[in-house]
């Protein structure tokens, strides 16, 4: 369990125990000569994937940390705010304060660095990475997005930019993405819920009167129903593959009817092996 600030904990089958082994990596100087203290060792962020080798990749505001379950090691000497594991290519893409680093998961060696303002839209803190079913990589955050058509384009630093100032998106920034069983790519933004119309290369808003603020995560509870996180709680939506604009609200869960959290966290939706859904949030 990784929280921002408090001790990280592990469940041993009976109780939670604090994890302290990673603190031995601190203190250290970052690549730009900033001292990172032991106090900052618990500044964990979003996305902690496990690769096919059994390694856990932990995003931390001071470093990219890897654990094989026994030992912790520091892979990057700069902050990591979001990790994404591409199983097909066996690579970790990690977003930091100045750009995105591609790491070979098998060797922990850096393969590529995409620099903000040069290879990517300039933006403080690259907070989101996604790979869709067509193999396209979406990299960005609340200031815009770069789309790479495939792995070869990623290596060649060749992408298309989406930014409000360019006029090709009607919202400020991206927060999350989700591809449903109908292969519709849904996008949670700083300005509500959209879906991506591939044939027009266009983002189309749904529930305009209902959703006007941040959509923090998107998932599904059945083939034709989405669950999204908004500041008011958890919203269940009915979708129609024949007409994507026909999205309707089924139910809102909040502190009045069983959901006691507040502001569901960014991409904070997980389904375990028993099919149970877990939602991370602040306490109400």
């Amino acid at each position: 369990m990784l929280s921002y600030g408090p001790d990280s904990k592990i469940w041993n089958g009976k109780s939670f125990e604090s994890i302290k082994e990673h603190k031995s990596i601190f203190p250290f100087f970052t690549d730009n000569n900033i001292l990172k203290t032991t106090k900052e060792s618990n500044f964990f962020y979003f996305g902690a994937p496990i690769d096919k080798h059994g390694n856990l990749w932990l995003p931390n505001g001071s470093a990219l940390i890897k654990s094989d379950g026994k030992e912790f090691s520091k892979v990057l000497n700069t902050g990591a705010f979001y990790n994404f594991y591409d199983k097909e290519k066996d690579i970790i893409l990690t977003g930091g304060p100045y750009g995105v680093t591609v790491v070979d998961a098998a060797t922990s060696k850096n393969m590529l660095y995409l620099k903000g303002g040069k290879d990517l839209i300039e933006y403080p803190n690259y907070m989101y990475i996604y790979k869709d079913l067509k193999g396209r990589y979406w990299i960005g955050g609340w200031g815009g997005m770069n789309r790479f058509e495939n792995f070869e384009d990623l290596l060649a630093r060749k992408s298309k930019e989406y930014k409000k100032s360019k006029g090709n998106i009607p919202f400020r920034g991206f927060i999350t993405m989700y591809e449903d069983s109908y292969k519709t790519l849904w996008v949670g933004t700083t300005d509500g819920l959209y879906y991506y119309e591939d044939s027009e290369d266009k983002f189309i808003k749904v529930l305009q009167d209902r959703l006007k603020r941040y959509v923090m995560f998107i998932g599904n509870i059945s083939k034709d129903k989405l669950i999204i996180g908004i500041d008011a709680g958890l919203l269940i939506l009915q979708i129609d593959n024949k007409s994507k604009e026909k999205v309707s609200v089924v139910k809102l869960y909040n502190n009045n009817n069983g959901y006691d959290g507040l502001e569901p966290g960014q991409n904070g939706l997980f389904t375990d092996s028993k099919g149970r859904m877990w939602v991370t949030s602040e306490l109400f």
Side-chain angles (χ1 to χ4, degrees):
M1 295 182 66
L2 303 175
S3 298
Y4 184 81
D7 280 353
S8 300
K9 299 179 183 296
I10 189 169
W11 175 255
N12 64 14
K14 296 180 180 180
S15 60
F16 283 104
E17 295 178 353
S18 293
I19 300 172
K20 298 180 180 179
E21 289 80 359
H22 67 285
K23 293 179 183 290
S24 63
I25 296 170
F26 298 79
F28 70 91
F29 283 96
T30 63
D31 290 342
N32 53 352
N33 238 9
I34 297 175
L35 177 64
K36 294 299 180 180
T37 66
T38 305
K39 183 180 179 180
E40 296 170 289
S41 64
N42 285 330
F43 287 179
F44 289 104
Y45 277 85
F46 305 115
I50 299 174
D51 65 26
K52 63 183 181 182
H53 312 286
N55 296 312
L56 180 64
W57 296 81
L58 304 172
N60 184 281
S62 301
L64 173 61
I65 300 172
K66 185 181 79 170
S67 173
D68 61 2
K70 298 177 181 178
E71 296 182 352
F72 291 83
S73 59
K74 177 162 52 69
V75 179
L76 292 181
N77 250 352
T78 187
F81 301 118
Y82 188 90
N83 288 343
F84 175 83
Y85 177 56
D86 181 352
K87 185 177 181 180
E88 179 190 1
K89 300 297 182 182
D90 196 24
I91 56 175
I92 294 289
L93 292 90
T94 181
Y98 312 111
V100 171
T101 303
V102 181
V103 179
D104 185 306
T107 65
S108 298
K109 293 182 179 179
N110 295 357
M111 296 174 58
L112 177 71
Y113 180 65
L114 301 168
K115 185 176 181 181
K118 181 179 179 183
D119 308 310
L120 300 170
I121 290 174
E122 190 166 14
Y123 179 69
N125 303 343
Y126 293 83
M127 298 291 287
Y128 194 69
I129 302 166
Y130 187 78
K131 183 181 181 183
D132 65 25
L133 294 175
K134 291 187 176 182
R136 298 175 296 195
Y137 296 86
W138 301 79
I139 298 176
W142 291 26
M145 183 75 76
N146 288 77
R147 189 190 79 191
F148 298 82
E149 290 299 307
N150 47 49
F151 184 64
E152 290 70 31
D153 279 1
L154 185 73
L155 294 178
R157 298 176 169 87
K158 178 184 176 183
S159 70
K160 176 170 182 176
E161 294 184 350
Y162 294 88
K163 199 171 183 180
K164 191 171 184 180
S165 61
K166 283 180 170 285
N168 57 4
I169 56 172
F171 46 84
R172 179 164 60 92
F174 296 76
I175 299 177
T176 189
M177 287 181 165
Y178 179 78
E179 216 159 352
D180 67 19
S181 54
Y182 301 116
K183 297 183 179 179
T184 299
L185 184 60
W186 297 94
V187 184
T189 78
T190 54
D191 182 38
L193 181 66
Y194 290 73
Y195 70 88
Y196 179 62
E197 183 54 63
D198 217 326
S199 61
E200 301 178 40
D201 189 23
K202 186 178 180 182
F203 295 89
I204 300 173
K205 190 171 187 179
V206 298
L207 297 173
Q208 295 189 41
D209 295 333
R210 185 73 182 260
L211 300 176
K212 299 179 181 180
R213 286 178 50 77
Y214 305 153
V215 173
M216 302 301 287
F217 66 72
I218 310 170
N220 74 298
I221 57 172
S222 64
K223 186 175 182 179
D224 62 346
K225 288 184 178 62
L226 296 178
I227 179 171
I228 67 171
I230 59 175
D231 54 2
L234 309 177
L235 206 58
I236 308 298
L237 304 178
Q238 180 77 44
I239 58 176
D240 185 341
N241 187 45
K242 295 179 181 179
S243 179
K244 297 176 184 124
E245 287 89 350
K246 289 184 178 179
V247 177
S248 57
V249 175
V250 176
K251 191 174 182 66
L252 171 66
Y253 289 100
N254 56 26
N255 63 302
N256 294 318
N257 59 6
Y259 174 65
D260 294 327
L262 179 69
E263 295 183 359
Q266 182 174 352
N267 303 298
L269 177 69
F270 308 92
T271 303
D272 65 19
S273 58
K274 295 181 180 180
R276 297 174 298 188
M277 191 169 289
W278 300 80
V279 178
T280 65
S281 67
E282 297 182 32
L283 292 176
F284 188 80

